[in-house]
Amino acid sequence: MTENELVSLYPRLWHMAHDGAWPALRDHGLRSAAAILDLYNVHGEERTRLLRVRRPQSVPIVARGLPGAVLRDQKPMDDGRLAGCLQDGLTPADWYENLNSLSFFWLSKSRIWKLLKARAYRNVPQTVLTLDTESLVNAHRDRIRLSPINSGATLFNPQPRGLGTFMSLADFPYAERARSRARENNVVELVVNHSVPDLVDHVLAVHRVRNNEILEEIWRRPGASSDEHP
């Protein structure tokens, strides 16, 4: 897959954050769980536990002089099912650590809405960011990878996953997969290694959403179309 194909087929990306997250994301960028712990100087056993063990609930992280941060829960994961679909000798702890080193984006509206309406999240407001794919790719192309599956879910029909799940654009077999898959099920996730410190440069709009309803518009880039929303 080429950059031009990615941008043409998936011109927008979406990210779901916890309610009230926009000021911190705007000022400090989007950080993976590992990058948050780097910034907040969390080490030792606590760091190992947070990065290599499933989080059944979101975990607040605090440090003097920094805004509050949240490590999102991993409710869609199940250790037993995860162990059953892992490849390449990986353990669940290895997979959690891998996921926790990445910043995640969805490539289709249908998938972000499916997540928003999931039982674990439908009754709690969420912050949803709409981003320009081309802008993000231009800034972070060397650290971007694509996934053909929802890598953070195993509750329903868990797909095999391993060292080759996150692929470079050049290695992603889009055309081959397109023979049997709709666009939304072809490239499922776009990830950036570690963090996106310049996140605000790529965001077009920010909304507060609950279940299947947009509650309010939090921010919109000047000149951005009113169509920019989840």
Side-chain angles (χ1 to χ4, degrees):
M1 189 175 202
T2 67
E3 287 186 15
N4 287 340
E5 288 172 332
L6 177 68
V7 171
S8 175
L9 292 165
Y10 304 97
R12 295 293 179 262
L13 302 168
W14 290 270
H15 175 81
M16 187 181 89
H18 67 276
D19 192 28
W22 173 238
L25 293 173
R26 178 193 62 207
D27 297 342
H28 296 275
L30 177 64
R31 295 175 178 268
S32 65
I36 289 173
L37 299 187
D38 290 343
L39 179 64
Y40 284 71
N41 200 31
V42 178
H43 301 288
E45 292 183 4
E46 182 181 9
R47 182 185 182 92
T48 298
R49 175 178 59 82
L50 290 171
L51 296 184
R52 290 181 60 81
V53 178
R54 175 182 176 270
R55 295 187 297 272
Q57 302 294 334
S58 294
V59 178
I61 305 294
V62 296
R64 181 174 296 179
L66 291 170
V70 174
L71 302 189
R72 293 301 300 251
D73 67 78
Q74 294 168 317
K75 291 179 179 178
M77 300 290 278
D78 174 272
D79 284 358
R81 292 180 179 178
L82 176 59
C85 66
L86 283 173
Q87 301 173 326
D88 305 315
L90 297 176
T91 66
D94 296 331
W95 191 250
Y96 290 126
E97 187 168 26
N98 187 23
L99 297 183
N100 283 321
S101 71
L102 305 169
S103 299
F104 286 82
F105 301 92
W106 297 104
L107 292 94
S108 71
K109 281 189 177 184
S110 62
R111 285 189 175 271
I112 187 68
W113 279 112
K114 183 177 180 180
L115 182 63
L116 287 162
K117 292 185 284 188
R119 181 181 300 177
Y121 308 116
R122 67 179 61 152
N123 295 321
V124 181
Q126 308 288 338
T127 298
V128 179
L129 282 61
T130 303
L131 300 95
D132 182 81
T133 305
E134 183 175 18
S135 176
L136 185 73
V137 170
N138 286 340
H140 299 286
R141 56 172 51 88
D142 293 338
R143 297 189 298 117
I144 285 175
R145 296 292 183 268
L146 304 177
S147 169
I149 64 170
N150 181 348
S151 61
T154 60
L155 296 183
F156 305 103
N157 189 28
Q159 300 298 301
R161 62 204 69 194
L163 297 177
T165 295
F166 298 103
M167 292 173 270
S168 68
L169 270 67
D171 290 337
F172 195 92
Y174 181 88
E176 178 183 338
R177 290 172 54 80
R179 296 170 189 161
S180 59
R181 292 171 176 83
R183 186 181 305 178
E184 66 183 40
N185 296 322
N186 197 324
V187 186
V188 175
E189 298 170 331
L190 182 150
V191 302
V192 181
N193 185 46
H194 194 263
S195 60
V196 184
D198 59 347
L199 179 74
V200 69
D201 294 342
H202 316 298
V203 176
L204 297 170
V206 183
H207 292 84
R208 189 170 187 249
V209 183
R210 184 178 60 224
N211 198 350
N212 60 355
E213 179 184 5
I214 295 178
L215 300 177
E216 65 175 307
E217 181 177 291
I218 298 172
W219 181 84
R220 179 173 297 278
R221 178 173 297 283
S225 167
S226 60
D227 293 333
E228 306 293 0
H229 58 73

